[in-house]
Amino acid sequence: MRSTFWFLRVRGIAIGAHWSWLFIALLVVWSLAAGLFPSTYPGLPGSAYLVMAIVATVIFFVSVLLHELGHALTAQREGIEIRQITLWLLGGVAHLRGRPASAGADFRVAIAGPVVTLLLGGLFYLVMAVGRAMGWPAAVVGVADYLGRINLLLLVFNMLPALPLDGGRVLRDWLWHRQRSYLRATQWSAGVGKAFGVVLAALGVLSLFTTTGFSGIWFLVLGWFLAQAAQAEADDAVTRQSLQGLTVRDMMRPDPVTVDPDISVDRFFDTAAKARFSAFPVTEEGRLRGLVTLSQAAMVPPDQREDRTVGDIMLGRDQVPVLPAQQDAAEALELFRDDGRRAVVVDAADRVLGVLSTSDVAHTLQVRLARGLPEDPGERRRGRFLAVAIVVLALLVGGAFFYQPPVVVVSPGPAFDVSRDVTVQGRDVTQVNGRYLATTVRLEQPNAVEAAIAGVRPDREVVSASSVLPAGTSPEDYVAQQRRLYEQSRQVAAAAAARAVGLRVNVSGSGVIVAGVIPGAPAAAALRQGDVIVAVDHRDLHHTWQLQETVAARPAGTRFTLTVERGGATRQVSATSAELPRLAQGVGIGVLGQTRDLRVDLPFQVRFAQREEVGGPSAGVAYALAIADLLARKDYARGRTIAATGTIALDGSVGPVGGVAEKAVSAKEAGADLFLVPGEDAQDTAEHDPGLPVHDVRDLEQALRVVSGSSS
């Protein structure tokens, strides 16, 4: 904690931050501004996400500081000296000098911080609820939501019964109360902490091989820190027990060699050579004036040592650690942790009685440990079975809480009105009288507990992470690919809508670029990222939708011959279609494709608003409906809110998508009057009553008839 800058003092407590705090603060700002807030509250300007992230990060660290102040101020009321509070990489720590006098006092200090965090979490959730009810800006609600969740998450983590966490201190206090032994209580709870740290580190190693993020590295760091801190707690308890009943007088070297402040530095060297010590109290008429060391004297140039005196170079009385001879040995040990390697021992009249150094303390500890630790009076060895049960429970809960299995939870995402995204020029249009909602899903990698909960919830779906992220594709590349598919789907939606109202559209492409291959899919053995498929069964292939239509039109198990360009050469490979996970869009060969050289020539100009947070082609039907409503003279929406999901092809055919049940929840929450889904996905909504009319459609023409009320 030496690399710390200090910025505040509260009731005599110095508050500072370690340099690592700056690193983690920047990391939190980046993760919130680039990830959490855009995915949770889409549609806001990029500057808004940055401001939200900065405000949330500042308030989050203020929350951590208030947590530590809860510990510190309670400790002061219990008569414990507080040295400082330091914010650092993994949160914060309040430095207490000494230990509470009883288990009850220690419990009150330990629980004060979590109580503050609980109150803060409740307050932020209240602000979020009030903000949503009163229609406050999404930025305010989003920050309050995050702060509520992060404070309660920290509360759960901090209350795990493993030292040095607050829950571990509560466990120690309970064992201390039952066993009447601070040492054994600390050893038990520190053992839980070390075991928990090892489990976290092991989960970190496992996560490095089963997930795509860097959470495994954080688990390793956190596990190492907890194990080391728990061992330090246990060592400190052993040290205190070893020094029980001893005073400073028992450990010091009595009758030290002292020097007068008026002697020259040259004469001081003569005295030091005979005494064979490195530090000497400086006294005048028997009373302490300061301390001089050989290293200080050696810094005086040889030609000045006759003229310079010890008084010129010594540390003054106020700079020397001083201990009374009757001070408790364990309390004196705190001085060495703060102020250096040695202290001068004096009596009530400030006369020097001895010198105490770290080597003296180490010698005393070695002797006491060799003889055996003295037991606390009245110690009771009971409650061990319950303690073991708590250990096992802590490890299971902690492991499940922090381990992220290689799965993804699909949950309802936000719905947005696509008709507000579209601007048509070069042709007369009629404004949409209503809303066309594109529905989305949110993909999150859960911990084991969240995955188990999601597995039993009807509005959640748990799928393999490998079914979402193709092999050899990083999360960043996958997001970029989905963004390109989304942009292409909007162009194709405009073409399909124009054709639906009788306009001529020319569309061209030169093949399908393989952007990724789903692990275990039929094409995994035949195709690789970067291939370009230019023909299927010897028929030219121009765009992605043509490939999807060709494969989906034949039953699973059909063998296709693909003509592929790879590395400047053309070759033929074979792939058999199969039923793939719903996120892979039903029957397919398992590739994530993009049209090469896509060109859509429309008889008008169309512009789309930017939506950086949206990806994938599933909004195609919603855009096609909105554009058709704009181009046609007929009022299709008629003041209603129409939700839709599904891919759209150039000929207007609607393709299957994943997460339809979750999207139905989004549609209902957004106030939709009806929900259009691909025919292949109708069964998913039938199994989960969404609470609104659902219509399955095969193509855009049928979807327009359903919307207009001509056909169901």
Side-chain angles (χ1 to χ4, degrees):
M1 292 298 174
R2 294 186 182 274
S3 300
T4 300
F5 57 92
W6 307 99
F7 57 85
L8 187 64
R9 183 172 291 272
V10 177
R11 294 186 59 176
I13 304 170
I15 299 173
H18 190 259
W19 66 267
S20 61
W21 176 84
L22 297 176
F23 166 76
I24 200 67
L26 292 174
L27 183 61
V28 171
V29 169
W30 174 80
S31 64
L32 293 179
L36 180 63
F37 286 147
S39 64
T40 308
Y41 298 92
L44 300 178
S47 58
Y49 295 129
L50 179 60
V51 172
M52 290 171 66
I54 293 173
V55 172
T57 301
V58 171
I59 299 178
F60 165 64
F61 280 107
V62 170
S63 300
V64 173
L65 177 58
L66 292 175
H67 175 104
E68 298 302 330
L69 279 173
H71 289 308
L73 298 180
T74 304
Q76 283 187 337
R77 286 195 295 270
E78 296 293 337
I80 305 171
E81 182 182 351
I82 307 299
R83 292 179 287 169
Q84 61 199 37
I85 293 175
T86 305
L87 301 176
W88 71 301
L89 181 66
L90 299 175
V93 58
H95 303 264
L96 312 182
R97 174 172 287 178
R99 80 177 196 193
S102 66
D106 195 37
F107 171 78
R108 290 188 288 274
V109 174
I111 204 64
V115 168
V116 171
T117 300
L118 177 62
L119 293 176
L120 289 172
L123 174 62
F124 291 126
Y125 268 121
L126 178 62
V127 171
M128 178 196 67
V130 172
R132 285 180 174 173
M134 299 185 66
W136 290 357
V140 176
V141 174
V143 170
D145 181 24
Y146 166 75
L147 291 171
R149 286 187 287 112
I150 193 65
N151 272 282
L152 294 185
L153 178 66
L154 288 176
L155 175 65
V156 172
F157 175 72
N158 257 313
M159 287 308 296
L160 290 175
L163 273 179
L165 301 177
D166 294 334
R169 295 178 62 188
V170 171
L171 171 62
R172 178 178 66 185
D173 299 334
W174 179 78
L175 293 172
W176 185 7
H177 174 73
R178 289 181 61 85
Q179 297 181 351
R180 300 296 189 268
S181 172
Y182 175 82
L183 173 61
R184 293 194 179 277
T186 301
Q187 289 174 326
W188 270 93
S189 49
V192 178
K194 288 186 288 185
F196 183 53
V198 170
V199 168
L200 279 184
L203 291 177
V205 174
L206 183 62
S207 296
L208 290 175
F209 295 98
T210 59
T211 65
T212 57
F214 292 98
S215 59
I217 296 177
W218 286 108
F219 284 173
L220 284 171
V221 173
L222 186 58
W224 174 84
F225 165 76
L226 289 177
Q228 294 295 315
Q231 183 61 53
E233 292 273 1
D235 292 343
D236 181 72
V238 170
T239 298
R240 289 181 176 277
Q241 191 73 5
S242 300
L243 299 178
Q244 184 178 1
L246 297 180
T247 65
V248 169
R249 185 185 294 273
D250 298 320
M251 297 188 297
M252 72 178 187
R253 283 180 284 113
D255 302 322
V257 176
T258 62
V259 295
D260 190 276
D262 295 326
I263 67 171
S264 67
V265 173
D266 200 43
R267 287 185 56 196
F268 166 71
F269 277 118
D270 293 336
T271 303
K274 299 175 183 177
R276 300 193 329 187
F277 296 131
S278 61
F280 300 83
V282 181
T283 60
E284 192 171 30
E285 297 181 356
R287 288 178 171 78
L288 181 65
R289 285 281 308 278
L291 186 74
V292 64
T293 65
L294 281 173
S295 59
Q296 289 173 299
M299 295 176 64
V300 179
D303 59 346
Q304 298 179 18
R305 290 173 182 174
E306 282 289 347
D307 301 324
R308 300 284 299 277
T309 66
V310 167
D312 296 331
I313 64 172
M314 72 178 183
L315 294 173
R317 172 68 170 76
D318 57 344
Q319 299 175 287
V320 178
V322 178
L323 293 173
Q326 299 305 317
Q327 183 168 358
D328 180 80
E331 294 179 2
L333 188 61
E334 297 283 348
L335 180 71
F336 291 101
R337 294 173 178 167
D338 298 338
D339 298 326
R341 300 177 53 200
R342 61 180 63 83
V344 180
V345 183
V346 298
D347 62 12
D350 209 30
R351 289 189 294 268
V352 175
L353 300 178
V355 174
L356 182 64
S357 66
T358 52
S359 60
D360 299 323
V361 177
H363 174 74
T364 302
L365 285 173
Q366 187 176 12
V367 172
R368 297 280 284 194
L369 288 172
R371 292 177 177 175
L373 291 175
E375 297 290 348
D376 285 344
E379 177 188 359
R380 305 176 191 173
R381 299 188 181 185
R382 62 184 185 181
R384 291 192 175 184
F385 175 79
L386 184 57
V388 171
I390 292 175
V391 171
V392 174
L393 180 62
L395 296 179
L396 291 177
V397 172
F401 189 78
F402 285 97
Y403 174 59
Q404 290 182 309
V407 298
V408 172
V409 171
V410 184
S411 60
F416 58 94
D417 183 8
V418 301
S419 64
R420 302 294 182 263
D421 290 356
V422 182
T423 302
V424 173
Q425 295 178 333
R427 181 177 175 83
D428 293 336
V429 297
T430 57
Q431 293 302 313
V432 173
N433 179 26
R435 296 192 300 162
Y436 287 98
L437 298 181
T439 53
T440 65
V441 294
R442 184 178 293 115
L443 303 179
E444 299 173 311
Q445 188 170 20
N447 59 40
V449 174
E450 292 168 336
I453 295 174
V456 299
R457 289 188 57 172
D459 61 340
R460 300 287 191 273
E461 183 180 6
V462 181
V463 299
S464 169
S466 62
S467 68
V468 178
L469 189 66
T473 304
S474 68
E476 294 77 14
D477 289 342
Y478 177 74
V479 171
Q481 293 163 7
Q482 292 297 303
R483 285 286 306 151
R484 288 191 289 269
L485 286 174
Y486 170 66
E487 296 297 342
Q488 286 189 359
S489 72
R490 298 202 292 186
Q491 293 292 330
V492 173
R499 287 178 171 179
V501 299
L503 300 178
R504 182 177 178 84
V505 179
N506 294 319
V507 179
S508 63
S510 62
V512 176
I513 302 172
V514 178
V517 182
I518 296 175
L527 297 174
R528 64 183 62 169
Q529 188 173 354
D531 286 348
V532 181
I533 308 173
V534 296
V536 179
D537 289 341
H538 307 291
R539 295 180 180 178
D540 289 345
L541 182 66
H542 300 290
H543 44 73
T544 302
W545 302 272
Q546 186 181 354
L547 174 63
Q548 294 173 349
E549 293 163 5
T550 302
V551 175
R554 307 283 294 277
T558 301
R559 187 179 184 84
F560 294 93
T561 299
L562 309 177
T563 303
V564 176
E565 293 180 0
R566 178 189 300 167
T570 301
R571 66 186 67 193
Q572 291 186 343
V573 299
S574 296
T576 303
S577 64
E579 288 283 355
L580 298 174
R582 279 179 286 176
L583 287 177
Q585 303 179 8
V587 176
I589 59 174
V591 298
L592 183 64
Q594 300 168 11
T595 301
R596 183 175 67 175
D597 303 325
L598 175 66
R599 181 181 177 85
V600 179
D601 294 322
L602 298 168
F604 52 84
Q605 293 180 341
V606 60
R607 295 202 311 268
F608 298 97
Q610 291 296 317
R611 287 192 177 273
E612 298 295 335
E613 74 284 355
V614 182
S618 65
V621 172
Y623 276 105
L625 287 169
I627 297 172
D629 198 330
L630 282 169
L631 297 174
R633 296 184 180 276
K634 186 174 183 179
D635 180 8
Y636 283 104
R638 302 198 312 275
R640 295 170 297 166
T641 296
I642 300 163
T645 187
T647 64
I648 193 74
L650 294 169
D651 62 357
S653 59
V654 175
V657 294
V660 175
E662 292 77 22
K663 292 176 180 178
V665 175
S666 298
K668 180 181 178 182
E669 292 179 350
D673 297 304
L674 71 157
F675 185 37
L676 306 185
V677 302
E680 292 89 337
D681 293 320
Q683 183 63 32
D684 292 341
T685 53
E687 294 174 355
H688 304 86
D689 181 12
L692 78 163
V694 177
H695 299 270
D696 59 287
V697 294
R698 301 286 177 177
D699 52 44
L700 180 57
E701 183 180 351
Q702 181 188 5
L704 290 171
R705 289 200 304 269
V706 169
V707 170
S708 66
S710 302
S711 172
S712 59

